[in-house]
Amino acid sequence: MFSTLLDNRHARSTALQVLLLVGFASLLYWLWSNTASNLAERGIRVGFDYLDRQANFPISEGILPYDPSDTFGWAYLVGLANTAAIAVLAIVASTIFGLLIALVRLANNPISSKMAGVFVGGVRNMPLIVQLLFWYALATTLLPSPRLAFNPISGIYLSLRGLYVPSLSLGPYGVALVLAFAAITMVLWCLMRGRSPLERKITLGGVLVAAIIFGTIVIEPSVSFPELKGFNFVGGMRLSPEFAALMVGLVIYTSVFISEVIRGGIEAVSRGQWEAGRALGLSERQTVFRIIIPQALRIIIPPMTSQYLSTVKNTTLALAVGYPELGLVVGTVINQTGQAIESIAILLAVFLTISIAVSLFMNWYNTHVAGDPMTSLATMNYAMAATELMAPQKAPPAKRMPILKLLFGDMMSALLSLGAVGVIVSLLPAFRWAVTDAIWATDDPSVCRSGGACWAFIGAKLRFIMFGLYPPDQQWRPVVVMSLILLMILVSLTPALWGRKLALAWTGAVCAMLALMWGGFAGLPHVSTANWGGLPVTLLLALLSLGLGFPFAIFLALGRRSTLPIPRLLSIGLIETVRGLPLVGLLFVASILLPLLLPPGFDIDKLGRTLAALTIFSAAYLAEVIRGGLQAIPPGQKEAAKALGIPHWKAIQHIVLPQAIQKVIPPLTNTAIVMVKNTSLVMIVGVFDMLSAGRSAAMDPVWPAPYTEAYLFVGLIYFAICVGISYYARWLEIRVKAKDYR
C-alpha cells in the first residue's frame, strides 16, 4: 500500500505540499511563540495606541508642518511626505539626466562619448551610501559661511547652511489648483490619444493659460527672496545640506543606471528601422521620434520600472546624512518609545505599498502606452509619420548620423566638444586639490589646513581603516584571510575548475577564514566579532551572503517555477516581499526583531544578524536571475531526460541547472557586484565595516576633519573591487558564448 502511494506522482506531490504547508505553519507558530515569550519576559506591550501620544522630538525640515507637540502618527506622515517628495524629485531629475547621458554616449563624438562612459563606470561602481556621505562632506566642509556665500544669480545663495532660493507662496487654494491642473492634464492626455500633436498642444496649452490667469487673479501668489541678516539668511526657501547631498547623490547614482537602460533600448532597435524611415522620406528627426523611440520604449520600460523601485527604496539611505525621511523618523520613534515591532511593521508596509503602486502604474503604462505597437503610442506615431508622406519627399542622407545631430543639428557635435573641454577645465581645481596642492606625508596634522587634500591622514589611519578595532598585534590574521580570499578568487577564475571540488574548497577556505578571525585555538587569542572591522568584514559579508544565499536561491527559483501551487505561492511571496523592501529595512528587522523571534536565551551577535539579512536579500535577487536561466532551457531537455528514464530531480540537478546557471553567469556576477556595494549599508546598524572605520577615523580631532579624503579612499577600494568583478564578468561572458569554458 505504502509503495503504491510512493509510485503515484499525484500522491507524492500532494504529500509534499501538505508537508511543506505544515512545516511553514509550524515555523510561523514557533516564531510567534518565541516572540510572545520574549515580549512577556521583557515586559514589552505591543499595540498602536502610542501613535496618539505626543512625539516630543523635532524634525528639522519637511513638506508638511510639524511641531514637537504633534503626535507620533503625524511624525510618521511628515517622514512619509519627505520620502515621497525625495522619491518623485529624484525619479524625474534622474530620468532627464539619464536621458542626456545616454544621448551623449550615443553621440559620434569621441571626447564627449568617452567622458560619459568614464562617468557612468565611475559612479555605478561605487556604493550609493559612500557617494551620499562624500557629497554631504563637501556640502558641510568646503562651502563658505553665510557671510561669504556664493551668489551666482541674484536671490540665490549657497553656503554651509544650505541653498537659499526665492520661494513662491500659493496658499492652500494654489496647491489645490496645481493638483487639479495636473489631474486634468493627465486625463486630457489619455482622452486625446490618437489625436494630432497640434490638437493636443492647443488643448493642453489652453488649460495651462487658463490655470495661470485664474491663479494670478484669484490666488494672488507672493514671492519671498532670501536676505542676509546677521549670521544667517531670512526669507525665501532653504534647501538644507542634507537635502542637497541626498538629491545630488541619489540623482547622479540613479541617472547612470537609467542612461544605460535608455542607451540599451535605443541600440536594440534594428538598423533596418532607420533605413525604413529614410526610404519613406522621413527626416532624421522624424525617424527618431516617430519610429525609433516608440519601439525602444517597449524595451526601456520594464528595466526602467526596476530602477524607479530602487530609487524609492534608496531614499531610506537619507538617514546616513540626517535627512528626516520615514526611515530616520522610525528610528527616532523606536528610541523614544521602544515600539520596535510596530514601527518597523509600518516602515515595511509603507515601502511594500509604494513598490506595488509604482509597479502597477509602470505595468499599466507598459501595457497601454509602450506595450503592443498595434494599440500603443507607436501606432499613433506611425500614423502621423504616414500622413507626412504626403509632403514633398526629402533626399535621404548618405549615412546614419549620430543621434544628437539627429535631434539638434550639426552644431551639436561642436557644442559637445566645447562642453567636454569645459568640463575638463572645471575639474582642474579639483585636480589641484587632489594632487598638486595635496599633503602626501607629514607628522604635523595642522599642516593639512592649507587647503589641499590631506592624504597623509590616509597613511596615518590606514591600518585602522583596513582592520578596524582588530587588535594591532593580531592584524596579521585578517591579512592572511584577505590573501586567502584573493588566492581562492584567482583559482576560481578558470571555468574548467568549476565543480564540486571547487565548491568544497571554497567551503573549507571560508571555514578556515572564520576560524582564523575568531581564534581561541592553537594559542591564538579569541577576538570577538564586535572587534572585527574594515575590509575583511566587507569581503566576508559579501562572500558569505552570496555563498549561503545561492543554494537558497536555487530552491526559491525551482519553487517559483513549480506546477504545485503551495511551493509556487510561498516562493513568490518570499521573493516579492524581499524585493519590495529596502535593504535598510531588512537590516533593521534583523538587528532589532530577530532576537525577539528566537527562543529565550538564544542570541546571535550583530554580525550574524546582519549576515542573515544580507543572505535573504541576495537569495531573493539570485533566485530571479536563476529563474531567468531556467526559463531559457528548452523543454526538450527535460523530455529527453524523461525518455531516458532519468528521475525528475536528477534531471534538474545534472542537466537543467548546469545549463541554466551557465546561461546567467553575467547577471550572476552583476548581482555579486551589487552585494559587494550593499555591504556598505551595514554601517547603519552598527557593524564596523570599512566605511564605518573610515568615517570613525575622520572623526579624530587631531586631524582637520578629512571626511572627503576618507570617503574617496573607501570609494576607490569599492571601485577597484567592482571594476575587477565587471571585467571578469565581461571576459567570462565572451568565453561562455564562444563555448571555450570546457
Side-chain angles (χ1 to χ4, degrees):
M1 178 68 176
F2 184 71
S3 60
T4 304
L5 289 176
L6 289 179
D7 293 336
N8 189 312
R9 182 178 179 181
H10 179 71
R12 290 199 311 270
S13 59
T14 303
L16 175 63
Q17 293 186 85
V18 170
L19 289 175
L20 188 60
L21 190 59
V22 170
F24 182 71
S26 301
L27 176 62
L28 291 180
Y29 175 76
W30 180 71
L31 294 175
W32 173 256
S33 62
N34 291 336
T35 303
S37 299
N38 287 317
L39 292 176
E41 180 181 348
R42 302 177 187 185
I44 301 176
R45 189 170 63 89
V46 179
F48 291 93
D49 55 342
Y50 75 98
L51 294 177
D52 295 326
R53 300 205 305 263
Q54 189 171 311
N56 290 326
F57 66 86
I59 294 180
S60 58
E61 57 184 308
I63 304 299
L64 300 177
Y66 174 81
D67 187 85
S69 61
D70 291 330
T71 63
F72 286 111
W74 183 252
Y76 281 140
L77 289 178
V78 172
L80 177 58
N82 289 348
T83 295
I86 285 291
V88 171
L89 291 174
I91 286 174
V92 173
S94 59
T95 301
I96 297 173
F97 194 33
L99 175 62
L100 294 177
I101 296 173
L103 295 179
V104 172
R105 290 204 70 185
L106 288 168
N108 190 20
N109 186 302
I111 300 176
S112 59
S113 180
K114 292 296 183 183
M115 287 185 63
V118 171
F119 175 76
V120 169
V123 171
R124 70 179 178 182
N125 283 308
M126 285 191 186
L128 174 57
I129 190 172
V130 177
Q131 297 185 42
L132 292 178
L133 292 172
F134 171 76
W135 289 113
Y136 184 64
L138 288 181
T140 55
T141 58
L142 298 184
L143 292 178
S145 64
R147 288 184 172 275
L148 301 175
F150 293 128
N151 183 212
I153 303 175
S154 178
I156 297 179
Y157 300 91
L158 180 62
S159 70
L160 289 172
R161 303 288 180 86
L163 177 65
Y164 289 84
V165 297
S167 63
L168 176 65
S169 177
L170 298 176
Y173 295 106
V175 174
L177 177 64
V178 172
L179 295 177
F181 172 73
I184 293 172
T185 301
M186 292 182 64
V187 171
L188 288 176
W189 183 267
C190 295
L191 293 177
M192 297 189 66
R193 287 173 55 198
R195 301 290 184 90
S196 68
L198 181 60
E199 291 178 319
R200 288 188 297 164
K201 291 177 181 178
I202 292 175
T203 303
L204 296 179
V207 174
L208 177 60
V209 171
I212 293 174
I213 295 174
F214 179 80
T216 304
I217 296 175
V218 178
I219 299 174
E220 296 182 357
S222 61
V223 180
S224 173
F225 290 89
E227 295 181 38
L228 180 62
K229 291 187 177 180
F231 295 98
N232 206 350
F233 292 94
V234 295
M237 181 175 63
R238 172 180 176 265
L239 303 179
S240 66
E242 293 80 11
F243 178 86
L246 177 62
M247 280 299 301
V248 171
L250 197 56
V251 168
I252 290 177
Y253 184 80
T254 307
S255 63
V256 298
F257 289 94
I258 289 179
S259 71
E260 291 299 279
V261 171
I262 295 174
R263 184 174 66 90
I266 293 176
E267 290 184 335
V269 178
S270 171
R271 284 194 174 186
Q273 300 296 318
W274 296 84
E275 301 299 332
R278 297 191 187 100
L280 290 172
L282 299 178
S283 67
E284 298 291 351
R285 185 185 180 91
Q286 291 171 332
T287 301
V288 170
F289 282 111
R290 305 189 189 282
I291 296 179
I292 303 302
I293 290 182
Q295 295 183 70
L297 276 178
R298 301 200 304 273
I299 304 170
I300 290 171
I301 293 300
M304 188 79 83
T305 303
S306 299
Q307 294 303 323
Y308 288 166
L309 290 174
S310 297
T311 304
V312 173
K313 292 185 289 185
N314 284 337
T315 58
T316 56
L317 298 184
L319 57 88
V321 296
Y323 182 76
E325 50 75 52
L326 184 60
L328 184 60
V329 173
V330 164
T332 305
V333 172
I334 291 175
N335 292 331
Q336 292 275 344
T337 64
Q339 308 288 150
I341 296 177
E342 302 89 332
S343 300
I344 293 179
I346 291 174
L347 177 68
L348 300 184
V350 166
F351 275 98
L352 273 178
T353 303
I354 293 175
S355 297
I356 292 173
V358 173
S359 296
L360 290 176
F361 173 77
M362 295 300 293
N363 289 335
W364 171 86
Y365 182 83
N366 185 47
T367 302
H368 292 84
V369 180
D372 186 0
M374 300 305 297
T375 60
S376 69
L377 182 64
T379 299
M380 180 181 65
N381 289 330
Y382 290 141
M384 288 187 294
T387 60
E388 293 181 6
L389 294 180
M390 304 299 294
Q393 302 294 307
K394 298 180 180 180
K399 61 178 181 178
R400 175 178 172 179
M401 300 171 66
I403 192 167
L404 278 172
K405 287 187 179 181
L406 304 181
L407 298 175
F408 304 106
D410 293 342
M411 287 295 295
M412 185 52 64
S413 182
L415 293 176
L416 281 175
S417 299
L418 292 175
V421 173
V423 171
I424 294 174
V425 171
S426 67
L427 292 176
L428 290 179
F431 178 81
R432 289 197 301 268
W433 173 85
V435 179
T436 307
D437 300 335
I439 307 299
W440 295 94
T442 181
D443 296 328
D444 183 9
S446 62
V447 176
C448 288
R449 301 182 186 275
S450 60
C454 185
W455 300 119
F457 159 79
I458 299 297
K461 298 290 185 178
L462 181 61
R463 294 184 65 176
F464 182 80
I465 295 174
M466 297 298 291
F467 306 117
L469 300 175
Y470 209 87
D473 61 327
Q474 298 294 319
Q475 288 180 357
W476 62 269
R477 290 154 61 176
V479 171
V480 173
V481 167
M482 290 191 295
S483 302
L484 188 56
I485 291 174
L486 179 61
L487 176 62
M488 291 303 301
I489 290 175
L490 292 176
V491 171
S492 304
L493 290 180
T494 305
L497 299 178
W498 292 354
R500 292 184 178 179
K501 292 183 178 179
L502 184 60
L504 291 175
W506 264 109
T507 303
V510 170
C511 291
M513 296 174 200
L514 295 176
L516 189 60
M517 292 287 292
W518 183 266
F521 64 94
L524 292 176
H526 167 64
V527 179
S528 171
T529 56
N531 293 326
W532 295 13
L535 184 57
V537 168
T538 297
L539 296 177
L540 286 174
L541 284 175
L543 287 174
L544 290 174
S545 61
L546 289 169
L548 297 175
F550 190 75
F552 190 26
I554 291 176
F555 284 107
L556 287 176
L558 293 173
R560 185 159 190 172
R561 285 184 51 81
S562 174
T563 57
L564 304 179
I566 300 300
R568 186 173 66 254
L569 291 176
L570 291 178
S571 299
I572 291 174
L574 180 58
I575 291 173
E576 295 304 326
T577 299
V578 173
R579 280 160 49 90
L581 298 175
L583 179 55
V584 172
L586 291 177
L587 290 173
F588 277 147
V589 169
S591 179
I592 299 174
L593 298 187
L594 187 58
L596 298 176
L597 300 176
L598 299 176
F602 186 85
D603 190 23
I604 300 178
D605 61 22
K606 187 181 296 183
L607 188 64
R609 297 196 294 268
T610 302
L611 177 60
L614 291 175
T615 299
I616 295 174
F617 189 81
S618 66
Y621 281 84
L622 288 171
E624 287 299 278
V625 175
I626 296 172
R627 183 170 70 97
L630 292 172
Q631 291 178 165
I633 302 301
Q637 298 288 325
K638 293 182 181 179
E639 295 171 0
K642 185 177 180 181
L644 293 172
I646 301 176
H648 175 73
W649 284 107
K650 286 190 176 180
I652 293 293
Q653 180 182 358
H654 298 289
I655 298 176
V656 176
L657 268 179
Q659 296 182 70
I661 293 174
Q662 172 191 316
K663 290 180 179 296
V664 294
I665 286 176
L668 285 177
T669 53
N670 290 336
T671 305
I673 294 174
V674 172
M675 288 309 301
V676 170
K677 294 191 294 183
N678 282 339
T679 58
S680 60
L681 301 183
V682 302
M683 177 194 73
I684 293 174
V685 292
V687 175
F688 209 73
D689 70 322
M690 182 171 56
L691 180 57
S692 299
R695 191 178 189 184
S696 299
M699 293 180 181
D700 189 343
V702 175
W703 295 88
Y707 290 99
T708 305
E709 293 87 337
Y711 296 143
L712 278 175
F713 179 73
V714 172
L716 287 174
I717 294 178
Y718 277 108
F719 177 80
I721 296 173
C722 295
V723 167
I725 299 176
S726 299
Y727 276 104
Y728 172 66
R730 195 173 306 167
W731 170 81
L732 190 60
E733 183 178 5
I734 295 173
R735 292 200 61 181
V736 168
K737 286 183 178 179
K739 301 296 183 182
D740 191 30
Y741 56 90
R742 297 187 182 277

